[in-house]
Amino acid sequence: MKTVDLSIVIPIYNEAAGLQALFARLYPALDKLASDLNIHYELIMIDDGSRDNSPSILREQFNQRPDVTRIILLAVNAGQHMAIKAGFERTRGSIVVTLDADLQNPPEEIYKLLAKMREGYDYVGGYRRERNDTAFRKYASRILNRIRERTTRIHMRDQGCMLRSYSRPIVDAINHSNEVNLYIPALAFIYARRPTDVEVEHEERAAGESKYPLSKLIRLNFDLMTGFSLMPLQFFSMLGMATAGISTAAFIFLAIRRMLYGADADGVFTLFSFTFMLLGVVLFGMGLLGEYIGRIYQQVQSRPRYLINAVLEQLD
Ligand code: UDP
Ligand code: MG
């Protein structure tokens, strides 16, 4: 079997509009990298059940460069991280690099990750020097990075940046993780001996639009939070204890007051608003419990998380 030093893994979901632009920059960048460093690479592209004609474009591209290209076509949309895992399971390189298909991660930046790997780091995450996304996405991700930093033991600069490089042992460990709700950059951190971050450029999406509507983005971040921290649940126990304490004190106070001054119906609305606020908190807590339980449920069902339609690769 041909030895492969570097595997590039790219998940693709409805990216037909931009794939040619991607190939036009990706292949020259990788060929140059391979000749500069004297290494062999493979490019694994996973179609995540696209409904546009990404699969046929990928088939065609496979025929153009069967020497380095491997294509996995998933039957149905499994989600970005599950698609990446489908790719990881078939990588052969001693180093694996992920990036997005929309050219937001410039392929010319891969050498920066490899340089760090050579210094002895086994997990190199990119962080975006200047992020080219909507203001909402930028601020939200800044806040979410901060929350993750405080509530989990995962430390990295930019959890949303998918331009990352993983050593073989880390990829193997991820492949052996059977979790249903995956967040690959965070999972990799758990297995990393020497992780680091490196600054990378970030461009505007070359074509098409983001594949993450708000609802999907929220799901993904719940995957991250519930997958790596129990803090959200513990926060509710703390809140519960504090509320119980305060209400007990309030009850004692009101009981004494009633004995001294008799019944009193003033301030009913304050009481109502306070009750509703508490109700909101309780509902949110229950929802949060649901998030964990739902994930436990899916894990227990242990259904196959993705379904392969076809694999295109050259036999060697
Ligand atoms: N993607 C995927 N499956 C999905 C959603 C996204 O494979 O269900 C891919 C998508 O094609 C792209 C990458 O994941 O290569 C990142 O998606 P996107 O650029 O839309 O995310 P954003 O940059 O808006 O966070
Ligand atoms: Mg993008």
Side-chain angles (χ1 to χ4, degrees), residues 50-294:
S50 297
R51 267 165 298 176
D52 63 3
N53 61 341
S54 303
S56 58
I57 298 174
L58 289 172
R59 280 176 191 276
E60 209 170 290
Q61 185 57 31
F62 172 71
N63 293 328
Q64 298 284 321
R65 288 295 301 272
D67 56 326
V68 288
T69 311
R70 300 170 68 198
I71 309 284
I72 301 168
L73 303 173
L74 301 186
V76 283
N77 182 238
Q80 179 186 358
H81 293 257
M82 211 34 90
I84 292 175
K85 191 174 177 215
F88 272 14
E89 286 175 358
R90 281 153 194 87
T91 53
R92 297 182 290 201
S94 43
I95 292 178
V96 176
V97 167
T98 54
L99 68 155
D100 287 346
D102 55 2
L103 281 175
Q104 289 202 276
N105 307 132
E108 297 82 11
E109 300 276 276
I110 295 174
Y111 82 93
K112 285 189 188 168
L113 306 178
L114 298 187
K116 280 281 172 202
M117 297 293 278
R118 288 238 188 109
E119 285 174 31
Y121 296 99
D122 61 347
Y123 177 34
V124 184
Y127 62 88
R128 295 166 281 196
R129 191 177 64 83
E130 197 184 322
R131 191 169 164 182
N132 277 298
D133 276 316
T134 59
F136 169 74
R137 288 288 296 264
K138 276 193 248 185
Y139 291 120
S141 110
R142 205 169 294 166
I143 292 168
L144 290 167
N145 266 301
R146 209 167 294 159
I147 295 177
R148 188 256 314 135
E149 198 67 28
R150 298 244 166 101
T151 58
T152 70
R153 275 191 256 169
I154 317 281
H155 302 297
M156 53 183 151
R157 288 278 295 253
D158 187 0
Q159 63 200 26
C161 181
M162 290 307 288
L163 184 54
R164 292 177 174 270
S165 168
Y166 311 79
S167 70
R168 184 80 248 161
I170 293 179
V171 172
D172 288 339
I174 291 175
N175 291 343
H176 282 111
S177 306
N178 274 323
E179 35 202 298
V180 162
N181 299 102
L182 261 186
Y183 199 96
I184 289 191
L187 191 57
F189 186 89
I190 291 179
Y191 303 128
R193 277 179 300 110
R194 265 192 92 190
T196 189
D197 296 293
V198 59
E199 186 178 87
V200 292
E201 296 298 325
H202 188 246
E203 296 177 5
E204 265 182 62
R205 195 172 232 288
E209 20 183 78
S210 173
K211 303 304 177 287
Y212 278 99
L214 186 60
S215 59
K216 212 166 162 180
L217 212 56
I218 292 174
R219 295 252 70 74
L220 184 70
N221 280 287
F222 264 118
D223 285 347
L224 175 65
M225 290 314 301
T226 59
F228 297 92
S229 175
L230 291 177
M231 190 86 88
L233 284 180
Q234 285 157 354
F235 168 77
F236 270 89
S237 338
M238 292 305 195
L239 195 69
M241 279 199 275
T243 333
I246 294 168
S247 356
T248 312
F251 173 74
I252 294 170
F253 170 75
L254 288 175
I256 293 172
R257 206 179 119 108
R258 187 182 164 130
M259 280 189 281
L260 297 181
Y261 306 104
D264 163 21
D266 282 349
V268 162
F269 287 114
T270 325
L271 187 63
F272 260 107
S273 63
F274 187 66
T275 313
F276 280 125
M277 188 195 79
L278 272 188
L279 218 84
V281 172
V282 171
L283 281 178
F284 177 58
M286 278 175 64
L288 193 65
L289 264 177
E291 293 290 341
Y292 280 90
I293 293 172

